[in-house]
Amino acid sequence: MTTTTPPRPGDRHLARMARGAEGIKPSEIPTLFAVRGRADVVSLAGGMPNLEGLPQRAIADETAGLVSLGGKVVLQYGSAQGLPKLREQICEVMGLEGITADPDDVVVTVGSQMALDMVTRIFCDPGDLVLTEAPSYIGALGVFASYRADVVQVPVDDRGLVPDALRAALADAERAGRKPKFLYTVPNFHNPAGVTLAVERRAEVLAICAEHDVLVVEDNPYGMLALDGRTFPALRSLDAENVVYLGSFSKTIAPGLRIGWVTAPAAVREKLVQAAESTTLCPPAFTQAVLSRYLARHDWRAQIETYRDSYRVRRDAMLDALAAHLPEGSRWTRPEGGFFVWVTVPDGVDTDALMPYAERHKVAYVPGSAFYAEGSGRGRSELRLSFSYPTPERIAEGVRRLGLAITEYQTR
């Protein structure tokens, strides 16, 4: 006798859904943060900022003052483009990377993830082609999949996106009669690879895209977090007409404010404002006003330097631990900033199959396959580690446990 599982009450609605819903998959990002509260697990997985150096008293004071002085205004609906004062301040922030922009060029978003979603929404029909790095940010791959775009990933090396590989990808697309809608790139302290696009490559990458009439989408959440205090010239600073720039305060102030932005050429900006109106009507005016007051009344540059100091210590702790504890044949990137180290494990180790071993040793990482387009089969010899959140002592212990897990896998 056979039995069948009765359908769940809501399953009948699945047949009504649009074909585009097939591309909407559960995000892996919440899972990366899920184990952070377990004292027995060292999580080197999620790229959370460490907020110990955030002046919470100052933010509390600004919040209280804002409510008492102007609550009726900042608790109302606002503009879909964002508060004018904050857009002026964003232009000041971008100026540190050589970007000259007018506040009218800027659209404030609920985190830069919203900005990336809107850009993809206005440019991509199902089946359109998007270029990105190999490996690439999980959240970007999820957005592209949700709009059913085809993704071609272009290799990176220790100096970032490889120009010759970009040329080859574009030539392949042209032979196939396809034109990419845009190149999505994280040039500074790449997530997940931890590499930075060499300054001398930046103009070359832009020239290649201009030659092939391909838009560039520059995602730069980590650009202010160079551990030696440098700032690199933004791609947007080199070609304002062909680069859409995504920025965020999640890494330099606090992610809970959920404030990002997109800076775009005028025609694109107008569509982005319309997309924002249809998505959220307007981004939260209250958190924008809190951040604007903080930027106006406090030394936010010194705050970023505090973060840099914290992450430098953590980065060094991770690099030292990797050298001490990973088995022979392992190699890894040496990030100049940001949150991540990209590890290539010894031959014969599969980082997807390694996960149960890591779980037994109570350490968490992200397998490399998560950072490649679905079905590519790539990344099985790679993994991502984040040094941003744990203490240096926890980082060292986590890498030690990872080394034990790899060794156990090799000798199974």
Side-chain angles (χ1 to χ4, degrees):
M1 179 178 178
T2 60
T3 60
T4 58
T5 303
R8 293 178 301 173
D11 283 354
R12 67 184 186 279
H13 301 304
L14 295 175
R16 302 181 176 128
M17 292 183 182
R19 285 182 295 169
E22 296 173 3
I24 303 174
K25 303 291 177 61
S27 173
E28 297 195 39
I29 294 174
T31 305
L32 304 185
F33 301 140
V35 296
R36 71 182 186 272
R38 288 184 54 183
D40 61 330
V41 175
V42 179
S43 177
L44 305 176
M48 292 199 313
N50 191 298
L51 301 182
E52 288 179 356
L54 183 68
Q56 296 183 42
R57 182 71 261 171
I59 291 179
D61 290 344
E62 297 302 342
T63 303
L66 190 64
V67 172
S68 62
L69 295 175
K72 289 184 179 178
V73 175
V74 298
L75 294 175
Q76 263 293 0
Y77 289 115
S79 162
Q81 193 166 354
L83 297 182
K85 178 61 177 177
L86 180 58
R87 288 189 277 117
E88 290 177 11
Q89 293 164 315
I90 287 171
C91 289
E92 180 184 354
V93 172
M94 292 190 297
L96 298 178
E97 297 177 312
I99 295 174
T100 300
D102 187 275
D104 281 346
D105 298 332
V106 177
V107 180
V108 179
T109 58
V110 185
S112 60
Q113 184 75 12
M114 175 184 170
L116 179 58
D117 186 278
M118 293 195 308
V119 168
T120 309
R121 174 182 169 190
I122 66 175
F123 278 103
C124 289
D125 290 315
D128 278 345
L129 181 61
V130 170
L131 301 181
T132 186
E133 290 123 338
S136 189
Y137 167 50
I138 288 177
L141 294 175
V143 169
F144 303 149
S146 72
Y147 289 99
R148 300 169 67 199
D150 294 336
V151 175
V152 169
Q153 294 184 270
V154 182
V156 301
D157 61 17
D158 288 343
R159 302 172 67 238
L161 185 70
V162 179
D164 285 344
L166 176 60
R167 288 189 182 93
L170 287 165
D172 288 344
E174 288 179 357
R175 281 192 291 271
R178 307 188 72 187
K179 186 176 184 61
K181 285 301 182 77
F182 55 78
L183 165 69
Y184 168 80
T185 178
V186 183
N188 297 321
F189 325 126
H190 185 270
N191 178 4
V195 298
T196 295
L197 181 61
V199 171
E200 60 270 21
R201 284 187 179 181
R202 297 184 180 221
E204 184 177 5
V205 166
L206 290 171
I208 293 168
C209 289
E211 178 185 348
H212 293 268
D213 192 28
V214 173
L215 179 70
V216 177
V217 177
E218 176 183 15
D219 195 356
N220 191 33
Y222 309 100
M224 297 293 173
L225 296 177
L227 301 184
D228 61 2
R230 285 183 297 169
T231 53
F232 294 89
L235 299 179
R236 168 84 187 185
S237 74
L238 303 175
D239 187 354
E241 289 305 310
N242 198 45
V243 177
V244 172
Y245 178 97
L246 312 183
S248 175
F249 289 104
S250 291
K251 310 303 187 295
T252 53
I253 305 295
L257 292 172
R258 301 311 301 136
I259 296 177
W261 72 90
V262 54
T263 305
V268 178
R269 181 206 65 222
E270 291 174 6
K271 276 297 179 187
L272 289 169
V273 172
Q274 294 166 14
E277 289 173 341
S278 69
T279 301
T280 64
L281 189 60
C282 60
F286 182 75
T287 53
Q288 290 181 68
V290 169
L291 177 59
S292 180
R293 281 173 62 98
Y294 176 80
L295 294 173
R297 294 155 59 97
H298 298 273
D299 190 351
W300 55 269
R301 291 177 177 85
Q303 168 61 44
I304 292 173
E305 187 59 40
T306 298
Y307 280 149
R308 286 171 174 159
D309 291 342
S310 171
Y311 297 141
R312 186 185 308 111
V313 172
R314 286 167 165 78
R315 187 275 313 267
D316 291 347
M318 176 163 282
L319 294 179
D320 289 346
L322 290 168
H325 298 299
L326 287 203
E328 185 176 352
S330 305
R331 62 184 188 276
W332 49 87
T333 56
R334 298 179 177 275
E336 300 174 274
F339 287 4
F340 305 108
V341 173
W342 186 246
V343 177
T344 302
V345 294
D347 291 344
V349 178
D350 181 318
T351 56
D352 284 71
L354 177 66
M355 291 190 75
Y357 296 83
E359 290 172 6
R360 283 201 292 274
H361 287 277
K362 293 184 168 47
V363 61
Y365 65 88
V366 188
S369 59
F371 302 97
Y372 291 91
E374 186 175 359
S376 71
R378 302 169 70 183
R380 303 293 287 259
S381 63
E382 300 161 322
L383 59 87
R384 190 193 75 176
L385 300 178
S386 173
F387 55 81
S388 58
Y389 187 76
T391 64
E393 295 75 19
R394 291 282 282 175
I395 289 169
E397 174 60 16
V399 174
R400 185 189 72 83
R401 295 180 187 185
L402 178 62
L404 292 174
I406 295 173
T407 300
E408 182 181 335
Y409 179 91
Q410 290 176 307
T411 57
R412 68 194 187 282

